[in-house]
């Protein structure tokens, strides 16, 4: 009996061990299957990934590219100025046939994604935390980045936004900075709204910039609510006030242009009518 009990107990332990081994094998097999699926999914995603992290960190996004020559091209755009992977003085555009073309940065007027337009501008990058930023530039010019246009085409003062994703900054927060360009400026020129064009003495300087719209200039000069800033104003407040004034100024100048155009049209039509009358009188019957 003792021998039989010992044999039965041994068999019981053996069966339990075998079941444990089988369970572990199943777990291992399942784990390997999951691992294989993960590797496969990562591989497939790498093959088809496209993203827009910021205007200067794009991979394979459908866009329209407008060139300085006046030509336009369509395709999948890649810009890697923030990553440092391929930061250089060109962008990549892959056409419908899958052929990738290197387009020199100095040939690009802007690119369009959806309803948004992004223009290359010369930026003082010493104030910005962008990896590989000194690899970007035109011949004899440094630090060219794409910024989003916030104002309408042909605006007297163009307002542009530089966005840097929090994934690229030391503090982990998204950063927004703003720049202006004037109609008579070089296409790459951009002036920071933090700079000495506006500060110190913001209201004095800004009222002078918009002086050809007297009503607006007076609001700024008199420091009316919503039109005034101090040197120590927080950035969000500065951006709000400057944006408001620029948009009002652009509306003012646009209306002035339309009024002038209507006056010219009226004068031209009047002169044309007078000429016709003179021609009619000179006809002899």
């Amino acid at each position: 009996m003792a021998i039989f009990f010992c044999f039965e107990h041994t068999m019981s332990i053996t069966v339990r061990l075998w079941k444990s081994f089988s369970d572990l094998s199943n777990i291992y097999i399942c784990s390997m299957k999951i691992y294989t699926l993960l590797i496969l999914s990562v591989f497939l995603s790498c093959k088809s990934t496209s993203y827009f992290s910021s205007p200067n960190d794009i991979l394979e996004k459908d866009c329209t590219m407008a060139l300085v020559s006046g030509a336009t091209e369509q395709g999948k755009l890649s810009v890697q100025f923030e990553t440092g992977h391929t930061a250089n003085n060109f962008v990549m555009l892959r056409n419908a046939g899958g052929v990738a073309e290197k387009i020199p940065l100095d040939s690009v007027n802007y690119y369009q994604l959806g309803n948004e337009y992004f223009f290359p501008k010369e930026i003082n990058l010493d104030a910005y935390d962008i990896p590989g930023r000194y690899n970007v530039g035109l011949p004899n010019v440094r630090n060219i980045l794409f910024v989003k246009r916030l104002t309408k085409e042909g605006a007297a003062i163009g307002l542009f936004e530089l966005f840097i994703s929090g994934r690229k900054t030391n503090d982990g927060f998204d950063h927004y900075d703003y720049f202006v360009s004037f109609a008579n400026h070089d296409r790459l020129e951009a002036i920071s709204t933090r700079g000495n064009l506006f500060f110190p003495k913001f209201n004095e300087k800004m009222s002078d910039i918009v002086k050809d719209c007297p009503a607006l200039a007076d609001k700024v000069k008199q420091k009316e609510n919503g039109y005034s800033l101090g040197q120590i104003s927080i950035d969000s407040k500065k951006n709000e006030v400057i944006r408001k004034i620029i948009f009002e100024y652009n509306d003012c100048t646009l209306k002035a242009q339309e009024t002038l155009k209507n006056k010219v049209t009226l004068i031209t039509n009047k002169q044309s009518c007078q000429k016709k009358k003179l021609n009619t009188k000179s006809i002899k019957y």
Side-chain angles (χ1 to χ4, degrees):
M1 289 293 294
I3 293 172
F4 175 78
F5 174 78
C6 183
F7 175 76
E8 184 180 26
H9 183 64
T10 301
M11 287 298 294
S12 176
I13 292 173
T14 302
V15 169
R16 287 201 298 271
L17 287 172
W18 175 253
K19 287 181 67 178
S20 298
F21 177 76
S22 297
D23 291 341
L24 288 172
S25 297
N26 290 334
I27 292 171
Y28 174 77
I29 291 169
C30 288
S31 297
M32 287 304 296
K33 287 181 178 178
I34 293 171
Y35 178 75
T36 303
L37 288 172
L38 285 172
I39 293 296
L40 182 61
S41 66
V42 169
F43 174 77
L44 290 174
S45 66
C46 287
K47 295 285 285 185
S48 59
T49 293
S50 70
Y51 67 79
F52 178 93
S53 176
S54 81
N56 298 285
D57 182 12
I58 311 169
L59 185 66
E60 296 282 319
K61 291 295 289 185
D62 290 324
C63 87
T64 298
M65 175 79 70
L67 304 180
V68 174
S69 66
T72 58
E73 298 185 20
Q74 293 185 328
K76 295 185 180 295
L77 176 67
S78 293
V79 181
Q80 297 287 285
F81 294 163
E82 282 187 16
T83 63
H85 296 322
T86 59
N88 213 318
N89 61 343
F90 63 85
V91 298
M92 300 288 293
L93 191 68
R94 189 182 303 278
N95 64 24
V99 179
E101 177 188 2
K102 288 183 179 181
I103 300 179
L105 190 54
D106 54 353
S107 297
V108 179
N109 187 13
Y110 64 84
Y111 70 82
Q112 179 184 357
L113 285 177
N115 295 321
E116 296 181 329
Y117 295 82
F118 302 89
F119 288 74
K121 294 289 182 181
E122 184 179 358
I123 305 296
N124 175 16
L125 295 185
D126 290 336
Y128 304 101
D129 182 22
I130 300 178
R133 62 188 184 271
Y134 295 111
N135 294 323
V136 184
L138 304 179
N140 304 317
V141 183
R142 303 299 292 174
N143 308 330
I144 307 297
L145 290 176
F146 286 102
V147 291
K148 181 169 74 172
R149 188 182 70 193
L150 302 178
T151 45
K152 296 177 181 178
E153 182 179 2
I157 301 179
L159 181 63
F160 298 87
E161 177 186 85
L162 173 65
F163 168 67
I164 306 170
S165 169
R167 292 184 295 175
K168 306 295 191 302
T169 58
N170 287 331
D171 59 13
F173 291 101
D174 292 343
H175 288 190
Y176 295 87
D177 281 285
Y178 297 89
F179 301 83
V180 296
S181 291
F182 294 88
N184 59 347
H185 278 184
D186 179 83
R187 71 181 188 90
L188 295 176
E189 188 172 356
I191 303 171
S192 173
T193 56
R194 299 181 182 189
N196 57 17
L197 178 67
F198 299 100
F199 299 97
K201 300 181 179 179
F202 170 80
N203 288 81
E204 180 182 325
K205 291 180 176 180
M206 194 69 186
S207 62
D208 187 57
I209 291 172
V210 300
K211 63 185 178 183
D212 48 337
C213 289
L216 176 61
D218 189 60
K219 289 180 184 179
V220 177
K221 193 170 185 178
Q222 298 302 322
K223 300 183 179 182
E224 291 189 15
N225 186 33
Y227 296 86
S228 178
L229 286 174
Q231 179 62 28
I232 58 172
S233 301
I234 60 174
D235 284 346
S236 59
K237 179 66 174 177
K238 287 181 182 178
N239 296 335
E240 177 187 339
V241 171
I242 291 174
R243 179 172 179 148
K244 178 179 181 178
I245 294 172
I246 288 175
F247 274 64
E248 285 193 24
Y249 176 75
N250 287 336
D251 286 342
C252 169
T253 55
L254 180 60
K255 288 175 182 177
Q257 289 172 3
E258 290 175 349
T259 300
L260 179 61
K261 184 179 178 181
N262 291 336
K263 284 182 178 179
V264 170
T265 301
L266 185 63
I267 292 171
T268 303
N269 291 340
K270 187 175 181 180
Q271 289 174 342
S272 178
C273 288
Q274 289 174 344
K275 188 175 181 180
K276 286 180 180 179
K277 287 181 179 178
L278 288 173
N279 288 337
T280 301
K281 288 180 179 180
S282 64
I283 296 173
K284 295 181 179 180
Y285 296 95

